[in-house]
């Protein structure tokens, strides 16, 4: 399995008035073969040029604008200022908007997982949320902005960890309308066929172990790469590190749970507005912080 625990993003899980500082860690890695373009005469990397597809000539970046096609061959030009005006605002929060039964989440919508780990001594409130989701069989539906892009996500307990799984938006998943499928139910198969199929499934059943399944193509290609690298043809590329922003402090979860249950999640901004500017306790400080964050989202 993949290893590594570099923090990619720091922020907080929020729901009601609750604020849990967390960091995101990559939970999956692409293991396919990445073939780079090289000049065979000098082994220099080959980059991509800005080419006018009609004339075949290279053009300067100052002459490039961004357009969206609305009909075949017809575009609307969107300026950088217009794009910036509707860009999702970074709030550094995983804002849970709804809790749903875990079995309601179709695998079809799952896209990319991230491990969520507690930071700034938030272990207790992190554990409480995890155990609550396990006990209720729920997952949290949330919105989060990562790398200037807004995502729908599911916060799911997985063993000792919480996993934030980015989801496809509803209009990104195609319907079944265009497919010719057999009708649902046992009427489409005979009892004998179903019995034999069930027996075969039982005989082929086993425990889930990801180590049992490997990308054979990648393994064979990497053997060739290793052989050539030993001949002195290997190169190394290091990705630059990025500084992650800091987040808030841990608060009294019990008090905020009580306040959230009494007033719901909506009054958070009102509570923040009435809070005194000075000598505020930890609870008030978090309430004041969460209100503008939610508004920005």
């Amino acid at each position: 399995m993949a290893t590594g625990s570099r923090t990619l993003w720091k922020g907080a899980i929020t729901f009601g008035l609750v604020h849990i500082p967390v960091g995101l860690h990559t939970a999956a890695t692409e293991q396919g073969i990445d073939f780079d373009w090289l000049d065979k005469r000098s082994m220099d990397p080959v980059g991509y040029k800005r080419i006018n597809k009609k004339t075949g000539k290279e053009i300067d970046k100052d002459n490039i604008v961004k357009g969206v096609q609305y009909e075949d061959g017809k575009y609307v030009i969107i300026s950088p200022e217009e794009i910036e005006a509707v860009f999702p605002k970074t709030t550094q929060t995983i804002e849970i908007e709804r809790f749903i039964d875990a079995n309601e989440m179709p695998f079809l919508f799952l896209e990319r997982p991230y491990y969520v780990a507690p930071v700034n001594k938030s272990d207790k409130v992190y554990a409480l949320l995890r155990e609550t989701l396990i006990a209720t069989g729920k997952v949290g539906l949330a919105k989060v902005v990562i790398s200037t892009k807004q995502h729908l996500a599911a916060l799911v307990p997985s063993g000792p960890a919480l996993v934030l799984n980015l989801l496809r938006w509803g209009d990104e998943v195609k319907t079944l309308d265009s497919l010719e499928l057999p009708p649902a139910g046992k009427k489409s198969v005979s009892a004998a066929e179903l019995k034999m199929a069930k027996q075969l499934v039982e005989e082929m059943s086993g425990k889930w172990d990801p180590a049992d399944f490997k990308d054979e193509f990648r393994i064979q290609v990497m053997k060739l790469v290793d052989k050539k690298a030993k001949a002195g043809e290997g190169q190394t590329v290091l990705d630059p590190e990025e500084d992650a922003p800091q987040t808030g402090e841990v608060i009294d979860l019990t008090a905020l749970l009580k306040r959230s249950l009494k007033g719901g999640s909506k009054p958070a901004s009102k509570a923040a507005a009435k809070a005194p500017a000075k000598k505020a306790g930890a609870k008030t400080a978090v309430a004041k912080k969460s209100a503008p964050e939610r508004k920005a989202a």
Side-chain angles (χ1 to χ4, degrees), residues 20-280:
I20 308 173
V22 295
L24 290 188
H25 302 258
T26 301
T29 180
E30 296 291 339
Q31 296 288 0
I33 303 299
D34 185 11
F35 293 103
D36 293 325
W37 288 5
L38 302 170
D39 187 330
K40 69 177 182 179
R41 299 165 299 177
S42 61
M43 297 306 294
D44 293 328
V46 176
Y48 295 92
K49 288 186 176 181
R50 300 180 179 90
I51 301 295
N52 184 314
K53 293 183 178 180
K54 186 175 182 179
T55 65
K57 295 181 179 180
E58 185 175 0
I59 60 176
D60 188 87
K61 66 178 181 179
D62 293 335
N63 291 324
I64 297 177
V65 294
K66 293 184 177 181
V68 177
Q69 183 173 266
Y70 65 96
E71 288 182 10
D72 188 22
K74 295 184 179 181
Y75 292 81
V76 168
I77 304 303
I78 308 296
S79 70
E81 293 76 18
E82 290 172 320
I83 293 175
E84 184 178 359
V86 296
F87 228 62
K89 302 299 186 295
T90 301
T91 61
Q92 297 305 125
T93 58
I94 301 168
E95 187 170 358
I96 299 176
E97 299 192 346
R98 183 180 304 170
F99 292 97
I100 66 170
D101 290 338
N103 57 13
E104 288 186 32
M105 175 59 61
F107 287 111
L108 191 61
F109 283 82
L110 302 179
E111 187 170 19
R112 177 178 291 273
Y114 290 92
Y115 290 128
V116 181
V119 297
N120 293 356
K121 301 179 181 180
S122 63
D123 297 52
K124 184 176 181 179
V125 286
Y126 177 97
L128 180 56
L129 175 58
R130 179 194 64 205
E131 297 305 316
T132 302
L133 292 177
I134 293 174
T136 59
K138 302 285 187 180
V139 300
L141 288 182
K143 287 184 179 179
V144 59
V145 176
I146 301 175
S147 299
T148 70
K149 184 178 180 181
Q150 187 181 57
H151 300 271
L152 180 66
L155 192 65
V156 183
S158 179
L162 287 172
V163 173
L164 186 76
N165 206 312
L166 302 187
L167 304 176
R168 296 177 176 88
W169 296 100
D171 56 5
E172 292 180 332
V173 176
K174 295 182 178 181
T175 66
L176 300 175
D177 297 341
S178 61
L179 303 180
E180 295 183 5
L181 303 173
K186 298 181 180 180
K187 293 182 178 180
S188 58
V189 297
S190 69
E193 290 171 334
L194 183 60
K195 181 179 179 181
M196 286 187 293
K198 289 171 66 176
Q199 183 178 351
L200 179 59
V201 169
E202 288 294 332
E203 291 177 356
M204 295 181 63
S205 296
K207 297 290 185 181
W208 160 244
D209 186 353
D212 291 340
F213 304 92
K214 297 178 174 62
D215 184 346
E216 298 297 337
F217 171 73
R218 183 180 67 87
I219 291 173
Q220 294 302 319
V221 171
M222 292 310 296
K223 284 182 179 180
L224 293 174
V225 171
D226 183 60
K227 182 178 179 180
K228 290 177 177 290
K230 290 177 179 177
E233 302 176 22
Q235 298 182 19
T236 302
V237 178
L238 299 177
D239 293 328
E241 295 279 342
E242 294 184 4
D243 294 331
Q246 297 301 314
T247 186
E249 58 184 294
V250 183
I251 55 172
D252 184 349
L253 178 64
T254 303
L256 287 188
L257 285 173
K258 290 180 179 178
R259 289 170 59 187
S260 297
L261 288 172
K262 289 180 180 179
S265 59
K266 297 295 184 182
S269 58
K270 295 182 180 179
K274 295 180 181 180
K278 297 181 180 180
K279 298 182 180 180

